[in-house]
Amino acid sequence: MRNYSWILILLLAMSSMACGGVEEQQEEASNATNNANQDDQNLTDAEYVEQATFTDFDGNKVSISDFEGKVVLIDFWETWCKPCLASFPTMQKVQEEYSDSFVVLAVTPGFSDTQKDAQEFAEEHDYTFKYLMDSNNLHQKLGVQGIPFKVYVDAEGNFIEKSMGTSGPQGDYKKLKKIIEQYK
């Protein structure tokens, strides 16, 4: 019986050392990843937004800087989000009223929608938004935990603010007009 106890103790000690080695390897890999992304982790929300790039349905890179001269609304949405879809008519109305100075980027973060889902929605509806995929995970960098989530950028490409939710059609309309008038 004593021999079995010593064998068991020896096996537990060896197992413990082996697991420690795996944990050390995992920690080293994690540190390497963290060091590679260290510069990225030190950015502010404004810097993330101002450098943001997305992908259109054809696989082309689209940058915030592509819309210089227009106030930009980055609207994180998905096809299943009723509040997101309820705000689309208001955003479309404002985009039509300010066609020379405002653009909506309807960005799918990919929580559950695929590009196909977003593309089918875009083809079935008459909204003239720029539909994009969040291929560089801006939503994660900004800490988006729910949608609709809106990010506003001025005509010079500078971050204005971010907000989650909706204020209803009238509230959203007034807020958009105020931002456009102030930052165009």
Side-chain angles (χ1 to χ4, degrees):
M1 189 74 155
R2 288 183 184 173
N3 287 342
Y4 290 117
S5 297
W6 282 106
I7 291 173
L8 183 60
I9 291 171
L10 184 61
L11 285 173
L12 286 171
M14 289 173 58
S15 172
S16 172
M17 290 185 330
C19 290
V22 169
E23 288 174 5
E24 285 176 20
Q25 289 173 351
Q26 290 173 338
E27 186 176 329
E28 286 174 16
S30 177
N31 287 340
T33 301
N34 288 341
N35 289 339
N37 293 329
Q38 188 173 16
D39 291 336
D40 195 41
Q41 291 176 353
N42 292 327
L43 297 180
T44 64
D45 285 351
E47 291 167 321
Y48 283 130
V49 169
E50 292 163 8
Q51 298 174 20
T53 60
F54 307 99
T55 305
D56 69 15
F57 293 153
D58 295 324
N60 300 310
K61 180 180 161 183
V62 177
S63 300
I64 290 297
S65 60
D66 296 341
F67 303 98
E68 192 169 329
K70 292 189 175 194
V71 173
V72 176
L73 168 58
I74 303 169
D75 181 54
F76 290 102
W77 73 288
E78 291 211 342
T79 60
W80 51 264
C81 174
K82 293 190 186 311
C84 299
L85 302 182
S87 66
F88 276 25
T90 300
M91 293 186 307
Q92 178 66 37
K93 179 179 179 180
V94 174
Q95 186 171 264
E96 289 171 3
E97 289 177 17
Y98 291 92
S99 60
D100 294 333
S101 57
F102 176 67
V103 64
V104 174
L105 307 184
V107 178
T108 304
F111 292 141
S112 63
D113 278 358
T114 63
Q115 178 177 324
K116 182 181 178 190
D117 297 327
Q119 196 163 359
E120 286 175 357
F121 177 90
E123 291 169 359
E124 294 171 6
H125 296 84
D126 292 329
Y127 301 115
T128 58
F129 310 145
K130 305 288 184 204
Y131 288 94
L132 304 168
M133 302 301 296
D134 189 12
S135 53
N136 288 310
N137 297 315
L138 178 63
H139 73 283
Q140 289 177 347
K141 295 169 185 171
L142 296 177
V144 174
Q145 299 202 3
I147 52 177
F149 192 93
K150 295 173 176 32
V151 179
Y152 303 89
V153 179
D154 72 15
E156 295 176 3
N158 301 307
F159 171 78
I160 301 170
E161 68 177 67
K162 62 183 183 176
S163 65
M164 189 169 93
T166 177
S167 301
Q170 287 295 341
D172 289 348
Y173 181 79
K174 288 177 183 178
K175 180 174 183 170
L176 274 173
K177 284 188 68 147
K178 180 179 178 181
I179 288 174
I180 293 167
E181 288 297 330
Q182 185 175 351
Y183 293 99
K184 66 179 179 176

